[in-house]
Amino acid sequence: MAQRIAVDGGQSGTRMRIDGLGEVDAGPIYTDRPLVGQLRGYLSTALADLSGPAEYELAVGISGLTPANSRPDELLAACRELGIVRVALAHDSVSAYLGSNGWNFGAVVAAGTGIVGLGVSADTVGRVDGWGYLFGDAGSAYWIGRAGIAAALRAFDGRAAATTLEALTVQHFGPLPELYVAVQSDPDRVSKVAAFAVVVAAAADDGDLVATQIIDDAADELAHTVCTAARNVAPRWPAPPRISWTGKVITGNDALRARFVERVRASIPDADVAAPLGSPLDGVARLFDAPQGHPLGREIALAAHR
């Protein structure tokens, strides 16, 4: 029987769960580069720690997967010499949903470096946002980090209220007059700006009003996204929708999560707003197990050696 590999590929890092090895961390998935080569490189490095030949089923939930890039056959061919005999490939909104809601109907927002919302009813799947750091991802870590830096620059200019974020931005990125050039030229700029979200959240916890407003706005954006995802597939609910979340932006910030839950419950009073059942990696591991006829099955691309 083939062993299983689950890969959760994100813009700040990749997490893999490999039978016989456990969980392994790898680098980020760059959405402006070919996905297959990045995945194969991370898998090759991880599997080098295992001795002896083996066959694997590879399940992948990945950020930035567009319909044109959803080519499981290509991934299967590229990884054949690693022992991969079967592939399941899905957008990370699908694996995040399965991690948080399982096969229940409802909606989930995944909030990490980027964000995406997914609504699932008995016969319909609808995605909201997930448009990347340039055009969307409202409420994401990148969005929060960028808002914090923008607030610091406005304060530096005298265009907005003073904020501790000004000094904190200097500590993390250097002199403000040099910041935009330094960040724009950094190939890891997305993850570094996203990492600044933790600083913004800490400033909010310390009472900085500007930072607090950014965190509140992020919670409102995330609630709006998940409620929109739910409504886009309503009213085809066989039961009250289960609405949940995943990602460190929400799970790691009590104040943001409390406001998010409050906003969702106010917007969709009959929803079952509940904590995630598991992690995105748990959701990736479910990609091979879609119940017959479940609408999420249509979102999972499969390939196998004959």
Side-chain angles (χ1 to χ4, degrees):
M1 179 180 293
Q3 300 181 67
R4 187 164 289 187
I5 301 173
V7 179
D8 178 32
Q11 297 175 71
S12 292
T14 298
R15 188 81 171 160
M16 296 184 281
R17 181 182 296 161
I18 302 173
D19 287 351
L21 188 62
E23 295 194 1
V24 179
D25 289 321
I29 295 296
Y30 295 98
T31 55
D32 58 347
R33 304 177 191 176
L35 300 177
V36 169
Q38 296 178 73
L39 286 169
R40 192 200 180 285
Y42 292 149
L43 286 166
S44 180
T45 299
L47 293 176
D49 293 333
L50 293 175
S51 59
E55 290 188 343
Y56 296 98
E57 294 181 331
L58 172 63
V60 181
I62 193 164
S63 175
L65 185 71
T66 65
N69 286 326
S70 186
R71 297 190 293 268
D73 290 324
E74 182 181 337
L75 179 59
L76 182 65
C79 296
R80 184 166 191 168
E81 65 186 55
L82 300 177
I84 307 300
V85 297
R86 191 179 177 213
V87 166
L89 181 61
H91 191 275
D92 64 348
S93 62
V94 174
S95 51
Y97 185 98
L98 291 173
S100 295
N101 269 3
W103 300 103
N104 298 298
F105 301 119
V108 168
V109 63
T113 299
I115 77 104
V116 65
L118 196 71
V120 181
S121 69
D123 58 4
T124 307
V125 176
R127 189 175 297 144
V128 174
D129 205 344
W131 297 124
Y133 72 96
L134 284 177
F135 305 116
D137 290 350
S140 67
Y142 180 89
W143 187 94
I144 293 170
R146 183 192 180 283
I149 295 168
L153 294 172
R154 291 179 68 86
F156 176 76
D157 285 343
R159 290 181 292 144
T163 169
T164 58
L165 294 172
E166 183 177 346
L168 291 168
T169 300
V170 173
Q171 289 176 23
H172 283 76
F173 295 99
L176 297 185
E178 308 290 337
L179 181 147
Y180 77 96
V181 173
V183 172
Q184 285 178 175
S185 60
D186 191 331
D188 293 321
R189 57 189 174 274
V190 174
S191 60
K192 288 183 178 179
V193 171
F196 195 65
V198 176
V199 179
V200 177
D205 289 342
D206 289 340
D208 185 281
L209 296 181
V210 174
T212 298
Q213 188 62 58
I214 292 171
I215 296 300
D216 286 350
D217 290 346
D220 293 349
E221 290 284 2
L222 294 170
H224 183 52
T225 292
V226 79
C227 289
T228 300
R231 288 198 179 95
N232 282 354
V233 298
R236 295 176 291 276
W237 303 112
R242 188 183 198 278
I243 296 183
S244 191
W245 59 88
T246 191
K248 291 182 180 179
V249 169
I250 303 180
T251 62
N253 189 312
D254 293 344
L256 187 153
R257 185 173 63 256
R259 185 180 177 96
F260 166 83
V261 170
E262 177 186 353
R263 291 292 189 269
V264 173
R265 286 178 172 158
S267 183
I268 307 180
D270 63 335
D272 174 20
V273 185
L277 298 173
S279 71
L281 202 53
D282 295 326
V284 175
R286 295 185 173 117
L287 290 177
F288 282 114
D289 305 323
Q292 186 173 4
H294 197 287
L296 280 178
R298 301 192 296 267
E299 305 295 315
I300 303 167
L302 300 171
H305 288 307
R306 293 177 177 84

